[in-house]
Amino acid sequence: MTAQLSTDQSPEAQHVEAQLPEDQRRSAVFVAERPWGQFQQFVLNQHCTVKLITVEPGRRLSLQKHALRDELWQVLDVPLDVQVGERQWTAQVGERIYTPAGSLHRLGNSGTQPGRILEVAFGHFDEQDIVRLQDDYARPETDRG
């Protein structure tokens, strides 16, 4: 049995791990091998909030930012459209995305099946902290959800 930091060599995963603070880099993407397979550990003994987010086909979240938390996303089911800062791409299943506090970010689904991400938010989680810059659903700039 071995334990190691994720060895995913994709540029996106390397980019995520390079941006994480050292203490989070050691615990946020920990992989442990077991006789029955493996597990991934996303956080250890830190103040965080964990969410499972589902994005329906043809839908997207608002272009938003927040000041009080960083987020680590892992794409679970189908490729999803991601924007972090000025960079936009299609994130593949298994890919991890890091969104630092204060960065613009958006998640969307241009596919034909619902897609999910696991989100680990580091820091103080408060839906009131969301500032929307663009929203397809005409919600107020600082409305919840």
Side-chain angles (χ1 to χ4, degrees), residues 22-88:
E22 183 65 27
D23 63 330
Q24 289 179 9
R25 204 171 28 233
R26 275 188 249 114
S27 64
V29 190
F30 181 82
V31 177
E33 300 293 333
R34 296 291 189 259
W36 43 261
Q38 68 175 357
F39 68 83
Q40 293 182 19
Q41 178 177 298
F42 291 92
V43 66
L44 176 64
N45 298 329
Q46 293 188 37
H47 183 79
C48 69
T49 300
V50 178
K51 293 168 74 174
L52 187 61
I53 298 173
T54 302
V55 185
E56 296 296 330
R59 301 295 180 123
R60 64 183 181 172
L61 284 69
S62 60
L63 180 62
Q64 60 184 260
K65 63 181 178 176
H66 27 75
L68 302 177
R69 66 182 183 267
D70 300 329
E71 294 173 345
L72 176 65
W73 299 340
Q74 179 148 353
V75 180
L76 299 178
D77 304 309
V78 299
L80 292 171
D81 308 316
V82 173
Q83 178 179 349
V84 178
E86 297 297 317
R87 184 170 177 235
Q88 297 181 39

Side-chain angles (χ1 to χ4, degrees), residues 84-132:
V84 178
E86 297 297 317
R87 184 170 177 235
Q88 297 181 39
W89 74 100
T90 300
Q92 301 302 311
V93 173
E95 188 172 329
R96 287 183 286 277
I97 300 102
Y98 180 68
T99 61
S103 67
L104 291 178
H105 58 279
R106 172 179 265 171
L107 184 65
N109 185 351
S110 58
T112 59
Q113 299 177 348
R116 297 178 304 156
I117 64 160
L118 177 69
E119 175 185 276
V120 180
F122 298 94
H124 181 73
F125 189 91
D126 183 350
E127 291 287 345
Q128 299 288 341
D129 185 36
I130 296 173
V131 176
R132 286 190 179 77

Side-chain angles (χ1 to χ4, degrees), residues 9-24:
Q9 296 301 310
S10 73
E12 292 81 8
Q14 292 171 359
H15 182 70
V16 165
E17 291 176 3
Q19 288 187 33
L20 287 169
E22 183 65 27
D23 63 330
Q24 289 179 9

